[in-house]
């Protein structure tokens, strides 16, 4: 059963400026994420509720680090469940393009869908060994060619369209997902920055204000990702996905789907 989420609107400060490398901060006009309560607040999140800043981040890290880890090959079948098209149970819904494609068309050829790492694998050398590079919370099905176009680019606004973009845009150093999944992308990035803190043999992943992070363990752009979290709140698809991962696969949750206002509380 999906977690019951109750929105309680209250003032939540929204950053109106950010220090960006070589660029002016984008205007942030989105309504801040609503405060919520869920059925998990008195159980799963009990040691995090009421905290802010580094205390909240630390508490969430401890909570979500308890998980079942998947192999890279196990992701194929998992994605067929987590990302099933709600309108066609034979298909998966591709993240950036929004295309509904047959579950059987998974692979590496043109016309197939493959495993997109939203936190780019090269940002911190995640590899595809069991660990952050196989964490289902940030891995989504995507068209092989679109996956290649995104590459390892950081996230930012702007760019040009491309074949099967679904409204997503790209330029030489960044990628902008379609509007319907901007918040999904942001919350996956924030999950990774909390889950992986460098205490388990993997890199300490952090969100920063750059779009040229290359092989460093950072993903940007922070101000834009925060705005996307506010502009595109969790929908039924994202909430179901979080629940399936929790119930069936990893047995941990993305806290920013349950509590999108915690993004502002930490960053």
């Amino acid at each position: 059963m999906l977690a019951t989420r109750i929105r309680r609107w209250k003032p939540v400060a929204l950053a109106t400026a950010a220090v960006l490398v070589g660029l002016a901060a984008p205007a942030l006009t989105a309504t801040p994420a609503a405060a919520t309560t869920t059925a998990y607040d008195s159980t799963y999140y009990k040691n995090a509720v009421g905290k802010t800043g580094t205390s909240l981040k630390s508490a969430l890290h401890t909570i979500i680090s308890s998980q079942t880890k998947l192999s890279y090959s196990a992701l194929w079948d998992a994605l067929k469940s987590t990302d099933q098209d709600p309108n066609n149970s034979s298909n998966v819904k591709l993240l950036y393009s929004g295309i509904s494609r047959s579950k059987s068309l998974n692979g590496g050829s043109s016309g197939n869908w493959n495993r997109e790492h939203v936190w780019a694998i090269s940002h911190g050398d995640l590899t595809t060994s069991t660990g952050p590079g196989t964490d289902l919370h940030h891995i989504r099905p995507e068209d092989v060619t679109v996956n290649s176009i995104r590459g390892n680019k950081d996230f930012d606004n702007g760019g040009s369209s491309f074949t099967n973009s679904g409204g997503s845009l790209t330029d030489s150093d960044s990628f902008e997902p379609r509007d319907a999944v901007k918040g999904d992308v942001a919350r996956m990035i924030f999950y990774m920055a909390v889950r992986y803190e460098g205490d388990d043999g993997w890199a300490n992943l952090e969100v920063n204000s750059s779009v040229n992070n290359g092989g460093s363990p950072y993903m940007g752009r922070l101000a834009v990702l925060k705005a996307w979290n506010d502009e595109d709140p969790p929908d039924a698809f994202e909430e179901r996905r979080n629940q399936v991962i929790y119930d069936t696969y990893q047995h941990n949750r993305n806290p920013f789907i349950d509590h999108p206002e915690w993004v502002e509380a930490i960053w």
Side-chain angles (χ1 to χ4, degrees):
M1 180 177 293
L2 294 178
T4 301
R5 302 175 70 251
I6 303 171
R7 297 181 183 274
R8 302 186 186 279
W9 292 95
K10 66 180 182 180
V12 180
L14 178 66
T16 56
V19 178
L20 302 180
V21 180
L23 292 173
L28 302 182
T29 59
T31 301
T36 61
T37 59
T38 80
Y40 292 98
D41 289 357
S42 61
T43 54
Y44 189 73
Y45 294 124
K46 65 181 181 180
N47 293 328
V49 171
K51 296 180 179 178
T52 61
T54 55
S55 294
L56 175 57
K57 188 182 183 190
S58 178
L60 291 176
H61 171 69
T62 299
I63 292 166
I64 67 178
S65 292
S66 177
Q67 69 182 102
T68 298
K69 297 179 176 66
L70 303 180
S71 69
Y72 195 51
S73 61
L75 295 175
W76 289 121
D77 284 339
L79 289 170
K80 293 174 185 178
S81 175
T82 59
D83 290 74
Q84 179 174 292
D85 184 344
N87 298 315
N88 185 343
S89 62
S90 296
N91 289 8
V92 291
K93 195 71 173 287
L94 307 188
L95 177 63
Y96 304 132
S97 59
I99 292 170
S100 179
R101 183 164 293 170
S102 173
K103 291 178 179 178
S104 65
L105 290 176
N106 62 295
S109 301
S110 178
N112 289 162
W113 61 268
N114 60 2
R115 297 158 290 190
E116 155 67 348
H117 292 76
V118 177
W119 185 290
I121 249 182
S122 65
H123 291 229
D125 190 26
L126 306 191
T127 79
T128 56
S129 299
T130 301
T134 67
D135 194 313
L136 196 51
H137 277 296
H138 83 113
I139 297 172
R140 301 288 291 267
E142 187 50 74
D143 175 79
V144 167
T145 302
V146 175
N147 193 343
S148 178
I149 289 170
R150 187 269 161 132
N152 70 345
K153 296 173 183 174
D154 292 270
F155 294 103
D156 198 2
N157 291 315
S160 302
S161 185
F162 51 88
T163 301
N164 289 332
S165 72
S168 297
L169 304 172
T170 193
D171 57 24
S172 62
D173 61 8
S174 69
F175 191 90
E176 178 183 346
R178 60 193 176 98
D179 289 347
V181 297
K182 279 184 165 71
D184 307 49
V185 166
R187 287 180 284 274
M188 285 186 277
I189 294 299
F190 290 125
Y191 163 87
M192 293 294 284
V194 170
R195 168 61 185 87
Y196 298 98
E197 294 279 36
D199 56 0
D200 53 4
W202 298 99
N204 180 10
L205 306 182
E206 297 292 347
V207 190
N208 70 2
S209 296
S210 176
V211 291
N212 294 293
N213 284 302
S216 299
Y218 309 118
M219 287 292 298
R221 181 180 301 268
L222 175 58
V224 172
L225 291 168
K226 287 176 65 177
W228 290 353
N229 175 61
D230 293 332
E231 292 165 2
D232 174 37
D235 60 15
F237 185 94
E238 190 180 3
E239 290 172 349
R240 176 192 173 277
R241 188 176 198 277
N242 195 29
Q243 195 69 36
V244 172
I245 293 173
Y246 178 71
D247 288 339
T248 307
Y249 295 103
Q250 295 186 178
H251 311 296
N252 70 339
R253 304 183 68 81
N254 181 335
F256 303 109
I257 296 173
D258 294 322
H259 285 279
E261 77 277 10
W262 280 350
V263 169
E264 185 64 34
I266 294 174
W267 287 278

